[in-house]
Amino acid sequence: MAGLGTHKTVETAPGQMTYLQAIQSGLREEMERDESVIVLGEDVGAKGGVFKVTEGLQKLYGETRVIDTPLAESSIVGVAIGAALNGLRPVAEIQFADFIHPAFNQIVSEAAKMRYRSNGDFNVPMVVRAPFGGGVHGALYHSQSVEAFFAHVPGLKVVVPATPYDAKGLLISAIRDPDPVLFFEHKKAYRLIKGDVPQGENYAVPIGRARIAREGRHMSVFAYGLMLHYCVTAADQMAAEDGYSVEVIDLRTLKPLDRDTILASARKTGKVLVVYEANRTGAVGAEVAAMVAEEAFEDLDGPVMRLGGPDVPAMPFSPPMEDFFLPGPARILAAMRQLAAY
Amino acid sequence: MAGLGTHKTVETAPGQMTYLQAIQSGLREEMERDESVIVLGEDVGAKGGVFKVTEGLQKLYGETRVIDTPLAESSIVGVAIGAALNGLRPVAEIQFADFIHPAFNQIVSEAAKMRYRSNGDFNVPMVVRAPFGGGVHGALYHSQSVEAFFAHVPGLKVVVPATPYDAKGLLISAIRDPDPVLFFEHKKAYRLIKGDVPQGENYAVPIGRARIAREGRHMSVFAYGLMLHYCVTAADQMAAEDGYSVEVIDLRTLKPLDRDTILASARKTGKVLVVYEANRTGAVGAEVAAMVAEEAFEDLDGPVMRLGGPDVPAMPFSPPMEDFFLPGPARILAAMRQLAAY
Amino acid sequence: MAKAGLRVAGTEPGPRPEDKVLVEMYSAMLLARMVDERCWLLNRGGQAPFVISCQGQEGAQVGSVFAMDRERDWFVPYYRDLAVVLALGMTPEDIFRSTMGRTGDPNSGGRQMPSHFGSRKLRIVSQGSSVATQCLHAAGTALASKSRGEPVDTICYVGEGGTSQGDFHEALNFASVHRLPLVMVVENNSYAISVPQDLQMAVRDVAIRAEGYGIPGVVVDGQDVLAVYRATKEAADRARRGDGPTLLEAKTHRFTSHSSDDDQRAYRPEGEIEREAHEDALPRFRDELLDAGVLDADTAERIKAKILAEINTATEAAESAPYPKPEEALLNIYGDDPPSPDDLRGDPRGLPSPGDS
Amino acid sequence: MAKAGLRVAGTEPGPRPEDKVLVEMYSAMLLARMVDERCWLLNRGGQAPFVISCQGQEGAQVGSVFAMDRERDWFVPYYRDLAVVLALGMTPEDIFRSTMGRTGDPNSGGRQMPSHFGSRKLRIVSQGSSVATQCLHAAGTALASKSRGEPVDTICYVGEGGTSQGDFHEALNFASVHRLPLVMVVENNSYAISVPQDLQMAVRDVAIRAEGYGIPGVVVDGQDVLAVYRATKEAADRARRGDGPTLLEAKTHRFTSHSSDDDQRAYRPEGEIEREAHEDALPRFRDELLDAGVLDADTAERIKAKILAEINTATEAAESAPYPKPEEALLNIYGDDPPSPDDLRGDPRGLPSPGDS
Ligand SMILES: Cc1ncc(C[n+]2csc(CCOP(=O)(O)OP(=O)(O)O)c2C)c(N)n1
Ligand SMILES: Cc1ncc(C[n+]2csc(CCOP(=O)(O)OP(=O)(O)O)c2C)c(N)n1
Ligand SMILES: [Mg+2]
Ligand SMILES: [Mg+2]
């Protein structure tokens, strides 16, 4: 998979980091700051992870804190849960989000319900990191967007950063969070997306707050991950070519959703488009649309539109079919224009 | 759990069956008709299942066709997939829907994607049956509604019958279906719900079609499973007390949703309420609401309302908390009145 | 370092608790039996919708838990382990409150079904219902103890049916690769609800799987309390020394149906229940102590009377305890700024709460 | 009936294929090696974004597949098993079309990454990427064959890393309880991407786990083609007789990095790669056949030349094959009335399709 797992050195301007570097620095700083933070997963040690996110950590913190696990996701998460119950703050890596499913029972039945079922006696301060998303020729099992499965589960938090700044700040918040957080990193963003990150500064971005990525007046577009960038591109073009002002909201946290920010923007513009890469039906975008249709109905002056990945099992390998699956700026622009014309 | 797993003999009028009896008769008839149909799961043989759904089948069809499996859901589904690839039509039982998660990877990564990934060369004619839903003092792990996880997955079909007639007819369709079907049976309905089922007649109810359970003019209410019955009760009361005409639609199939029936009813009444027992956020009800808000927007004259289970990890054991969780007729009626008053 | 492979334990001599402790162990077993019997009464009386029993397995449970450091070690029991949690300090009243879903249930505040044990104070990891998931949590608590260099073990309990789950395998594999201080106890009562052992596995002794993980496997007569004590002590000491996990299989019996929802007469072979009833660890241990002069008939009687009185008081206290309030269902979902009821209700505009279904 | 427990196989004499077949086996190994090498060329040339290799493991693959009934049995390979599928009848052109995501890829029509094999015609069960899930499918195909009383085996392949998954355990347990006609082959190349065997399991021979399921476990030198053939034949015959599954571990080597996305020099110990290179089943088998007079140098040369010519033609044909059309992404989701593109598009109102990202 071109760029998938291969380590290219990337140029970044001073003060800038790639999305990948930002995650690395957040992880390193938290391990430095708090020795109860450990990292475990497949190939995270000697190899530094297939995407090199954990590169160098084992040298720095040893094999007790950076553990190459056996090839078994249920054990990665299940052991992390037990370790979290006994004083550690595990950051578990699932090599690809597509392979989180063997751990589904441990995440959904155990981690998510531990605090509730023990009436607050136990909690699970654990982060599960996983690269998700397509556009890297990863085919059916290295391209999936699985966030909707977890955003339905009370007791979990689900975070998807789009920018390097948020990637670092949200990871730091996730590690300090007293409850299980699923942290999905867009694998195409790792080296593609660069941005300002205050050097040598340890900062936290709060979980549960969306961000206005681009102010606008006539339409609200909600997105996250790689799609957020495509939406901004399309919005700029819409402004330039149609003189139409689109507000783009980076959801950042999918569980819990930032209801106030979402509804405020929807009420302000009256037109809503939700863009995502996951299979269209039953995704998080459906919840955003339903929330708007229920609570901002009075202010809507157009149908609540969704542009998602098609309802096919997953993103195919062959380039034409992969492109067919993945929404891109032109297609997003077309959707914006269609809604604007309403 | 009162009634959970305990076998009460139930009175039914001639021509009537309980929901449970209807499932039993559909299963038996298909096993009789097609010897490639097998049943496998925990306690399905000698004991006849904890709810007695498979009672007597092992005596009739032997241990080769009715298999008591080891206690491992991933193997129940994974073995069923392999058997389906090699000419059998397995009906796998998951003892409680809450325990389907260890098999999540086999269902979502394997069964759902087999036809697609092999470009149509292989398919998986398998049914996974599981009792779901609350109200039987089953507490956190014997009350869950998990349908949303699977309704998001292309390649799967998800069926939830509400009536004995549909339970039998839809199970027969599911067993004959060339693709994997998740068949969720409401455990509180097993002995509570009775209805007409043509004696000794083998009939199929098509997957993918909703049913108008109660005609109405002023509001559309979408539901499935046990909630369907509560909605009809509330709708009757609404008619009697408020002279207000509510249409109640039994969705019956959650994947694929019956878009035509849903949109037709929404356009007709202009007011939509979706009622379900699953955790409110990110459930199938969100998809129904989003679909309506996107495709029937012009005809709406009120917000698209949802009444779901609260976003707490699962249904508690203690009766007051269990009642708090489960929507009931009075609460549904209140929601209808609130929407009607809009 | 420990030798991998299967051994049958119990016959050889070994450490034996002092007399005082032996009597404590007997009392713990009797207490568990009598509390369990009371739960069935509550069930028949309609005050408890569900009961799942420890009866028949008290010997394996008490013998193993007394071999651990009850002040420091971590305990990961499953729903059968009433005798384990009582031996660790849960009270009959705790159990009855939980059985009737009343306030003050220390396990779950009335949220979980009975016998889903948990207590941070007692280092008993909270259990859900999903069989065998706890095996991985136990590897995790052991990993944390080891990473801090503490001389603390974790002991985990699972049924022989639970050994079929992938999580059981993954737990033993992870624990053995990292030589974790873990004692994995399989309470083999030869049934998983109705499924007999020969449909659960193709081996007679599941402990033989230890060899596949390069760790010691031990089979012990679970009805022989002291044999279980010795075998567990040996495994616990080995773990504390840093020599890694042990798979310990205790052969035991399930005297009751799987639960109050099951009727085992439907699937148990003719005469088996009666045969097994003769292998009850409770009278067997009592007679051992009487023969050894560690216990005399009067003391035995006094112990029983004292327990009965305690159980009666506890039952009344629990019966008169209130149910949790409906809205308590909204608490303890997240730790930080708990979401307001309004966020959590099925409907955000504050419909009347249910209670009518 | 078969004895459970571990055995080291290969040294003892046993059935040996006739000369003609031996040459076929050698050709199959050479074909796999040369097709694999060509895939790497395509990768470097930018025509193939991803390659994952069989190099080093051809002996274990060809030795085992030739011991099966290639006309009747079921085959459940994983992504390393290029030599298995070529031996079963896939062609170099099939492989190259799949490697470049072109139409006519028989495995997935260009949907899956290369080396995700599948063919109903050849009874090769379609593979996804999720490691070890196939072990359960193999138990399922074996169950179906047995339930119809057919004399048909299933052979399943998995890496030693895959043995850590719960599904591996559940598959062996299910297959042993039901005495299914299954041969479970572990290709142990001692690495799972970068993770060495000692971090994957605490045992030297994973085949030792067989005893924990009451089935035979066999360790064989995977670089010794005929030893693999004999060990597999014995297991296959046993399965066909109704005596149940066998766990067969073939010790082998991974000559390349895990895949084209990996660089094993980062984690392999000094000199290990070079040492392993001397244990190549391909020249070893060729020399055996030369010594035995089964093969002569000229024939060997002719075979090689013939394969090279075939590979060149196949490469050209595949390179000139078109990509699938974008809309083909919408086909083969369900069998009955395939949903219309309109239902399936990201947006139901038929926006322009993407292709711009
Ligand atoms: C994952 C999962 N599957 C199924 C069940 C239903 N169930 C509860 S207990 C049980 C049998 C357990 O048998 P065993 O492990 O031998 O323990 P025992 O009850 O005999 O002590 C089953 C099947 C469950 N709780 N969890
Ligand atoms: C469930 C799952 N987890 C992780 C991965 C990523 N992955 C692909 S191959 C591999 C290593 C497999 O090692 P092994 O089983 O020994 O087979 P080998 O590649 O050595 O032949 C990993 C971790 C995956 N494909 N599936
Ligand atoms: Mg048991
Ligand atoms: Mg390997």
Side-chain angles (χ1 to χ4, degrees), chain C residues 74-96:
Chain C
W74 280 77
F75 300 84
V76 189
Y78 76 119
Y79 51 82
R80 290 248 177 258
D81 291 315
L82 177 60
V84 170
V85 300
L86 288 171
L88 289 171
M90 284 210 185
T91 68
E93 187 176 330
D94 291 339
I95 302 302
F96 298 141

Side-chain angles (χ1 to χ4, degrees), chain B residues 5 11 51 60 62 78 90 123 129 131 140 148 156-157 161-162 175 187-188 236 241 256 269 275 277 314 321 327 341:
Chain B
E11 305 298 312
F51 290 100
L60 281 170
N123 63 305
R129 292 182 39 248
L140 305 181
L156 298 180
K157 297 179 179 180
I175 292 172
K187 66 176 78 71
K188 186 165 182 164
D236 291 344
E241 296 174 12
T269 65
V275 178
E277 188 177 330
M321 293 194 286

Side-chain angles (χ1 to χ4, degrees), chain A residues 42 71 73 95 99, chain D residues 78-80 129-131 159-162 165 189 191-193 258:
Chain A
E42 295 154 9
L71 206 182
E73 287 70 20
Q95 200 161 77
F99 305 132
Chain D
Y78 77 118
Y79 52 82
R80 291 250 174 255
S129 303
S130 188
V131 163
E160 92 289 345
Q165 288 283 0
N189 58 18
Y191 283 91
I193 304 186
H258 172 71

Side-chain angles (χ1 to χ4, degrees), chain B residues 7-27:
Chain B
H7 194 197
K8 307 207 208 60
T9 36
V10 202
E11 305 298 312
T12 47
Q16 287 219 323
M17 281 188 191
T18 62
Y19 186 85
L20 176 59
Q21 291 164 334
I23 295 166
Q24 290 170 327
S25 87
L27 193 50

